[in-house]
Amino acid sequence: MSGIFSLLFLFLTMPLLSTSAQAAPCCSGAVVMPTLITTDSKAQLAGRLMGTQAVGRSRMDGTSVFHRDGNTDNTVLWELAGAYALSPRWQIHGAVPVSLRARGIDSLKENHTGLGDVSAGGAFEALEELLFNPYKPRVWVFMDVTMPTGRSAYDDITPLAASVHGRGSWAATMGAFAGKTWGGWDAALSAQHGRSLPSRHDVNGRSVLVRPGAVTALTAAGGHSFGELRLGLSVGPTWEQRTMSDYSSSRDTTDRLWWTVGAQASLMADDHWSFTASYNDQTLLGPTYNAVLGRSMGLAAIRRFD
């Protein structure tokens, strides 16, 4: 597998990691990893399917409590994402998510399907690799805007909040992705920082001002290619500042921290099609506090257009 396709698979791991952190909207952040073109393709279209099970949560003191029998919180996320190259270094991209949430506490069960928060943005290849250099990576910088198209926790929701699919605020994310290959080996780093605008919601006939906290995420990934098959690992923390409102302190959140560990297997079927399977786990590393912890499995298919 060529180095340029190894970068594609490296970047495919990043959106899946980001999505897993957002699959449960109650604990989602404003950070969204975009779909970037890292090959010589003119455009690409990606479809992702992610199933997440929230298995517990961490407390303020860092200890974790797992859900008891009868307490379920599962999410199935479908996402269609695309990117288009305006020039060899500039590109635009966007993503549309839809999720099915299933929540249950003992005999009370809820299922709800809805549109998530749609995102769009652009990227620039800030550092090219025209000639091979063992120390010089390729670097992209990007900015995304997330629109509050999904129902938030401050909207009219069901008793178990299964109808919550978004954050309810406009948000902007800035970040960078750096990737490097050495023969069959590859490595990547990504950094993102997202901020949301304050928003007003009608809660029980009262206008409520919500101030979401900032979100920062880091991810390190690496792997090795065996012909057309790539196996990889990834790890990274996510920090989210508290969300405050003038409605009730029970709706506020505290600062959060969690770690996501992932494993990926990717296959390049031909020059136009590639596929990735992933597993992500937020219970393996710490410290973590005030966060919902989950495990997820995902599939991604990407079609490139010359």
Side-chain angles (χ1 to χ4, degrees):
M1 183 184 299
S2 66
I4 196 169
F5 285 106
S6 295
L7 286 179
L8 168 67
F9 287 134
L10 265 172
F11 202 85
L12 271 178
T13 68
M14 306 295 182
L16 291 171
L17 285 169
S18 182
T19 302
S20 69
Q22 301 179 61
C26 61
C27 57
S28 65
V31 170
V32 177
M33 197 70 184
T35 296
L36 292 189
I37 299 174
T38 59
T39 67
D40 295 328
S41 302
K42 183 65 176 179
Q44 67 184 29
L45 191 64
R48 302 190 186 99
L49 172 65
M50 174 75 72
T52 300
Q53 179 183 29
V55 297
R57 66 176 303 114
S58 57
R59 296 170 172 169
M60 186 175 297
D61 61 4
T63 60
S64 297
V65 178
F66 288 87
H67 292 332
R68 61 176 175 82
D69 292 341
N71 186 349
T72 59
D73 186 354
N74 302 320
T75 302
V76 178
L77 178 75
W78 299 272
E79 183 182 71
L80 182 64
Y84 181 79
L86 301 174
S87 71
R89 302 182 70 177
W90 286 96
Q91 58 184 277
I92 55 176
H93 50 256
V96 179
V98 175
S99 60
L100 165 65
R101 298 196 67 200
R103 299 205 62 189
I105 298 180
D106 298 328
S107 61
L108 181 59
K109 309 290 183 182
E110 288 183 2
N111 295 284
H112 194 277
T113 302
L115 177 67
D117 289 344
V118 175
S119 63
F124 173 70
E125 187 173 1
L127 189 59
E128 298 179 288
E129 187 182 31
L130 301 179
L131 297 175
F132 178 76
N133 184 316
Y135 307 105
K136 180 182 176 182
R138 295 179 67 186
V139 178
W140 288 262
V141 294
F142 57 86
M143 182 173 181
D144 280 72
V145 174
T146 302
M147 294 160 273
T149 51
R151 182 178 295 181
S152 75
Y154 292 89
D155 298 319
D156 183 21
I157 61 174
T158 54
L160 296 183
S163 59
V164 175
H165 301 278
R167 289 178 59 88
S169 300
W170 287 84
T173 300
M174 295 188 66
F177 169 82
K180 182 65 180 176
T181 62
W182 303 269
W185 294 94
D186 56 64
L189 292 173
S190 73
Q192 307 167 71
H193 181 74
R195 288 186 175 272
S196 300
L197 294 176
S199 58
R200 286 198 171 272
H201 302 264
D202 185 10
V203 181
N204 296 328
R206 175 182 170 184
S207 179
V208 176
L209 180 64
V210 179
R211 301 180 181 86
V215 186
T216 302
L218 302 174
T219 303
H224 185 70
S225 297
F226 304 88
E228 307 306 314
L229 175 67
R230 176 190 178 273
L231 301 179
L233 297 173
S234 55
V235 62
T238 302
W239 299 269
E240 182 176 359
Q241 293 178 332
R242 64 178 301 188
T243 294
M244 296 182 292
S245 72
D246 56 6
Y247 177 71
S248 169
S249 59
S250 64
R251 293 290 186 98
D252 294 351
T253 65
T254 54
D255 294 347
R256 294 167 171 161
L257 168 66
W258 67 91
W259 289 74
T260 302
V261 178
Q264 307 86 31
S266 303
L267 176 67
M268 186 175 70
D270 55 35
D271 290 340
H272 296 97
W273 283 98
S274 52
F275 305 91
T276 295
S278 68
Y279 172 77
N280 298 313
D281 199 316
Q282 297 169 338
T283 68
L284 298 178
L285 280 185
T288 175
Y289 51 84
N290 302 327
V292 176
L293 305 177
R295 301 186 180 104
S296 61
M297 298 186 68
L299 295 172
I302 187 166
R303 173 67 160 87
R304 296 175 297 280
F305 302 90
D306 298 330

